[in-house]
Amino acid sequence: GAGVSQSPSNKVTEKGKDVELRCDPISGHTALYWYRQSLGQGLEFLIYFQGNSAPDKSGLPSDRFSAERTGGSVSTLTIQRTQQEDSAVYLCASGGALDTQYFGPGTRLTVL
Amino acid sequence: RKEVEQDPGPFNVPEGATVAFNCTYSNSASQSFFWYRQDCRKEPKLLMSVYSSGNEDGRFTAQLNRASQYISLLIRDSKLSDSATYLCVVTIQGAQKLVFGQGTRLTINP
């Protein structure tokens, strides 16, 4: 069956521009997570959605970062006024329980 | 101090060797424990969960020592295809997120 998909796979942008990253979770999965992985670093939690509950935004690094999940399915991560330190691979995962998180292939963001 | 710490390696071992990775976690409220595998430029994939009693999956054995807050992964009879980065992962009680170590890079040489 279809796994988690993310788009675009690669994004190059200029400092100061806004970017939107998209995640399509596995159908039926109620939980959706965003992480980011900077070069040589471990994965860093950003935000978590579970059903209709208020999202856990505790990992968002600044107010330039926001995310939405529409209709309990597709999610968009938005980064406003991008900075060079935002360059990373942004990974989305979906699942029903913590030990069944399935990751998408990620979006590699490069801010010039 | 990072919540989950791993030796980043790299570990370079010959095919057929046995290799062990260690991981320590700092939060005593850590609840669940996992090893994930991440191939170069790919997403992480769950390798195995780790239980207090220890568990085995083929050539892979995982151990958890809650008293020492220490997790290990043992790979026996290593294969070329085992080359990857191995991520130690924990969850914290009450927090719905995975906390990742920075990973240990393993290369199996022919």
Side-chain angles (χ1 to χ4, degrees):
Chain A
V4 178
S5 61
Q6 292 186 244
S7 61
S9 56
N10 283 283
K11 176 70 177 179
V12 179
T13 191
E14 293 179 348
K15 178 181 173 181
K17 301 281 190 182
D18 298 352
V19 295
E20 284 191 355
L21 312 180
R22 177 186 168 108
C23 172
D24 283 87
I26 294 172
S27 178
H29 280 185
T30 57
L32 188 148
Y33 305 78
W34 283 98
Y35 296 85
R36 75 175 174 181
Q37 187 171 30
S38 303
L39 187 64
Q41 302 296 315
L43 276 81
E44 173 189 12
F45 167 78
L46 297 177
I47 188 168
Y48 159 66
F49 296 90
Q50 174 61 270
N52 295 321
S53 302
D56 175 357
K57 304 179 181 181
S58 61
L60 294 179
S62 78
D63 59 8
R64 296 185 296 104
F65 288 72
S66 62
E68 291 184 340
R69 189 179 185 191
T70 53
S73 181
V74 171
S75 178
T76 302
L77 177 70
T78 301
I79 309 173
Q80 296 178 309
R81 305 180 304 280
T82 52
Q83 303 295 312
Q84 288 182 331
E85 61 263 28
D86 299 335
S87 296
V89 177
Y90 288 81
L91 290 154
C92 174
S94 74
L98 280 175
D99 62 353
T100 56
Q101 282 194 33
Y102 296 91
F103 283 82
T107 293
R108 184 173 299 275
L109 175 66
T110 303
V111 181
L112 301 177
Chain B
R1 182 184 174 190
K2 293 181 180 178
E3 286 194 86
V4 179
E5 297 211 47
Q6 297 180 247
D7 182 345
F11 284 61
N12 290 282
V13 301
E15 190 175 9
T18 296
V19 60
F21 305 137
N22 303 319
C23 164
T24 57
Y25 59 94
S26 60
N27 193 325
S28 58
S30 296
Q31 186 171 17
S32 301
F33 308 88
F34 311 95
W35 284 101
Y36 274 70
R37 170 192 169 130
Q38 186 172 27
D39 293 292
C40 188
R41 301 179 77 86
K42 298 287 189 181
E43 70 272 24
K45 293 185 179 178
L46 177 65
L47 179 65
M48 58 196 303
S49 300
V50 188
Y51 305 113
S52 297
S53 55
N55 50 297
E56 189 173 306
D57 182 1
R59 299 181 293 106
F60 297 83
T61 301
Q63 295 278 351
L64 167 64
N65 184 320
R66 284 187 183 270
S68 301
Q69 298 187 182
Y70 171 96
I71 307 162
S72 66
L73 177 67
L74 183 78
I75 305 175
R76 292 183 302 278
D77 187 25
S78 53
K79 311 293 184 188
L80 296 177
S81 57
D82 294 334
S83 297
T85 295
Y86 290 82
L87 302 166
C88 178
V89 184
V90 307
T91 66
I92 312 299
Q93 189 172 13
Q96 293 294 324
K97 64 179 181 179
L98 299 175
V99 180
F100 287 80
Q102 68 181 101
T104 297
R105 187 172 174 185
L106 172 67
T107 300
I108 306 299
N109 301 307

